Amino acid sequence: MQRKYFGTDGIRGQVGTGPINPEFIMKLGWAAGRVLGRGGPGKVIIGKDTRISGYMFESALESGLSAAGMDIRLLGPLPTPGIAYLTRSTRAVAGIVISASHNPFEDNGIKFFSSEGCKLPDDVELAIEAEFEQPMSVVASAKLGKARRIEDAPRRYMEFCKSSIAVDFNLAGVKIILDCANGATYHIAPELFEELGATVISIADVPDGLNINDNCGATSPQTLQQTVLKHQADVGIAFDGDGDRVLMVDADGDILDGDELLYIMAVDDPEALRGAVVGTQMSNLGLELAVRTLGLDFLRTNVGDRYIYEAMCKHDLILGGETSGHILRLDLTTTGDGIISALQILGVMQRQQRTLHELKSGMQKFPQVLVNVRLTNQVNGHAGSQNSVMELPVVLAAVSEAEKTLGKTGRVLLRPSGTEPLLRIMVEGEQAAQVQLLSEQLADVVRHEVNAS
């Protein structure tokens, strides 16, 4: 069955537009409660990031779940991976995250975790959508769900993060700049890294409901780079709004993206990785080549942590991730976790007594250019979509010609956006000038077809 509301990472959109409104979210909570409660009474965890609309949607979900007879445990602002952890540790039947991740504050969304702290199976999401289409009802008053707050949720999650590292792990003498994106890590990450002995300087750690991801965090690390250089710090760490992604900055002010962080984790102990690392179609070719030099396979999936997780489970692997900094360590936790990922990188630095700059030097990134072409409802005079553009003979011919030009040390990828009417054109190769030129040529071909009458 085709999903009507759920995407690859829950339901997301602009607040007040489409499904992201209080009425829809209340009924979504009711439908989820009806489906999740089929095995008997239980409780559902609700957490959120720091955007202002989270208060409104928290109340809406609470009402819907209570009407369905489900108890609720409220966590307040907490990183997405913390909500996944507490769903497991409190034996909840599910966890709900109110967040639009790296999006601006005007957006929000809902995503679910199963009782195991993983994304909901497809059949459960479909069952929730089917229940949503039914008239809303309310259980008998004696069976209404009750809600209470878990006051020590941040401390529980902090201790879980620290359990991912050695007991004697100590960051004394290490100066760290933390960029909390004015998001869900603001009250957790600074305290955690200070407890581990680091000298911590925090930026973007005063959320006001409107400034989440606003020129800060993993999507805008420029201020972090400047702050690392200003304070001569050893490392900078940037999280996104809900804390499941991380980028890092070395002492020279250079950014390390998710590909480079994956490589550092892989090179630390390749024999422990069960033969392979998982990336996506967008992962840099330099990462694939570097991983293969370690004697490991490199598997590519569609973009999205859901697909990475599925591939890792299928092949019984423990390390995978995206260029954006969404890294999965299934030997440590069930979902991407920015704080845990950062701790693992700091652990590699200590064990090998090398700087971030030195650790990343074993991987040479290939020049990569990504161009977004906005589409209309008309493609070459006909109703069309991202996929139909990709299938046009002239576009296919242009891609083929670009691939011949690049040879075996380059790639071309056309990928439709999952959330916007965009076609993403990625070109990668050894020569930066050639990559730039080919990407522009391909974009021009697509634009011509889109605008043709």
Side-chain angles (χ1 to χ4, degrees):
M1 292 177 60
Q2 185 71 31
R3 292 184 182 90
K4 184 176 180 180
Y5 302 115
F6 283 95
T8 58
D9 196 23
I11 303 170
R12 187 181 300 182
Q14 187 171 353
V15 175
T17 302
I20 308 302
N21 64 76
E23 182 180 9
F24 177 94
I25 300 301
M26 181 175 69
K27 191 168 184 184
L28 177 66
W30 172 82
R34 293 269 294 179
V35 172
L36 298 169
R38 288 173 182 171
K43 60 179 177 286
V44 175
I45 297 287
I46 301 178
K48 60 185 180 180
D49 63 23
T50 57
R51 62 196 76 219
I52 192 169
S53 57
Y55 295 97
M56 176 170 65
F57 293 133
E58 181 183 59
S59 297
L61 283 170
E62 181 182 343
S63 296
L65 287 163
S66 177
M70 300 297 290
D71 287 336
I72 303 103
R73 298 293 180 265
L74 301 171
L75 307 180
L78 199 72
T80 288
I83 299 163
Y85 163 68
L86 283 164
T87 300
R88 300 196 316 274
S89 69
T90 62
R91 308 305 190 266
V93 297
I96 302 179
V97 182
I98 307 168
S99 174
S101 188
H102 58 280
N103 288 27
F105 84 93
E106 296 95 342
D107 293 345
N108 216 331
I110 304 294
K111 52 187 174 183
F112 290 82
F113 286 114
S114 70
S115 59
E116 292 81 24
C118 306
K119 298 290 175 69
L120 283 184
D122 291 346
D123 62 329
V124 178
E125 289 186 348
L126 289 169
I128 291 172
E129 290 200 354
E131 192 67 36
F132 187 94
E133 301 302 324
Q134 302 302 312
M136 188 170 174
S137 59
V138 180
V139 298
S141 294
K143 295 184 178 181
L144 288 170
K146 300 176 182 178
R148 64 179 176 84
R149 191 165 296 278
I150 300 180
E151 300 290 350
D152 63 343
R155 171 51 58 183
R156 293 194 199 186
Y157 172 57
M158 287 173 60
E159 294 306 318
F160 171 67
C161 290
K162 290 193 287 186
S163 74
S164 71
I165 52 178
V167 176
D168 60 352
F169 181 82
N170 194 305
L171 292 172
V174 179
K175 183 184 288 188
I176 299 174
I177 312 297
L178 291 178
D179 183 341
C180 299
N182 290 314
T185 60
Y186 81 96
H187 58 318
I188 292 175
E191 183 175 350
L192 186 150
F193 285 95
E194 285 179 352
E195 284 186 1
L196 293 173
T199 299
V200 174
I201 299 172
S202 298
I203 60 177
D205 62 343
V206 187
D208 61 10
L210 310 178
N211 59 4
I212 186 171
N213 301 313
D214 186 12
N215 294 315
C216 58
T219 54
S220 301
Q222 294 77 19
T223 302
L224 176 62
Q225 291 176 280
Q226 297 165 6
T227 309
V228 166
L229 293 173
K230 175 183 177 181
H231 292 278
Q232 297 182 321
D234 298 292
V235 62
I237 302 171
F239 305 107
D240 68 337
D242 73 330
D244 61 359
R245 299 184 187 187
V246 64
L247 297 182
M248 298 182 76
V249 173
D250 66 22
D252 298 322
D254 294 330
I255 298 171
L256 281 77
D257 63 16
D259 290 344
E260 290 161 310
L261 300 181
L262 271 178
Y263 169 72
I264 291 172
M265 290 187 191
V267 78
D268 183 49
D269 189 5
E271 293 183 0
L273 300 183
R274 303 176 185 174
V277 174
V278 180
T280 74
Q281 293 173 336
M282 298 300 293
S283 298
N284 195 278
L285 184 58
L287 172 62
E288 178 176 348
L289 297 177
V291 165
R292 293 191 184 281
T293 63
L294 300 175
L296 300 167
D297 287 335
F298 186 76
L299 309 181
R300 291 184 184 268
T301 73
N302 291 332
V303 174
D305 64 295
R306 183 188 197 99
Y307 303 112
I308 295 171
Y309 178 80
E310 289 173 356
M312 293 173 71
C313 291
K314 178 180 178 180
H315 298 284
D316 191 29
L317 302 174
I318 64 172
L319 178 62
E322 298 183 276
T323 308
S324 61
H326 201 139
I327 296 172
L328 280 76
R329 283 290 303 263
L330 296 189
D331 56 330
L332 302 174
T333 187
T334 59
T335 189
D337 190 313
I339 291 177
I340 286 180
S341 296
L343 289 173
Q344 302 316 302
I345 297 296
L346 292 168
V348 177
M349 291 173 65
Q350 284 202 350
R351 286 190 293 274
Q352 300 200 15
Q353 290 296 294
R354 300 172 70 192
T355 65
L356 267 184
H357 186 82
E358 292 168 340
L359 286 169
K360 74 173 184 179
S361 63
M363 171 188 158
Q364 300 302 315
K365 292 179 68 175
F366 279 48
Q368 186 184 91
V369 174
L370 179 65
V371 180
N372 293 324
V373 179
R374 185 163 293 276
L375 306 179
T376 64
N377 292 328
Q378 295 291 314
V379 178
N380 203 14
H382 302 283
S385 66
Q386 297 103 315
N387 289 325
S388 63
V389 176
M390 293 165 55
E391 295 164 2
L392 291 172
V394 66
V395 175
L396 292 172
V399 170
S400 178
E401 188 62 31
E403 290 175 335
K404 289 179 182 177
T405 302
L406 290 167
K408 295 182 179 180
T409 56
R411 295 190 303 135
V412 177
L413 176 67
L414 270 61
R415 181 177 69 87
S417 167
T419 58
E420 299 178 84
L422 299 174
L423 185 67
R424 306 192 192 280
I425 301 170
M426 188 276 288
V427 180
E428 187 176 61
E430 290 184 302
Q431 301 176 30
Q434 183 185 61
V435 166
Q436 185 68 47
L437 177 62
L438 290 173
S439 65
E440 292 172 357
Q441 290 175 344
L442 283 171
D444 286 342
V445 170
V446 172
R447 290 190 189 101
H448 179 270
E449 294 305 306
V450 170
N451 294 324
S453 58

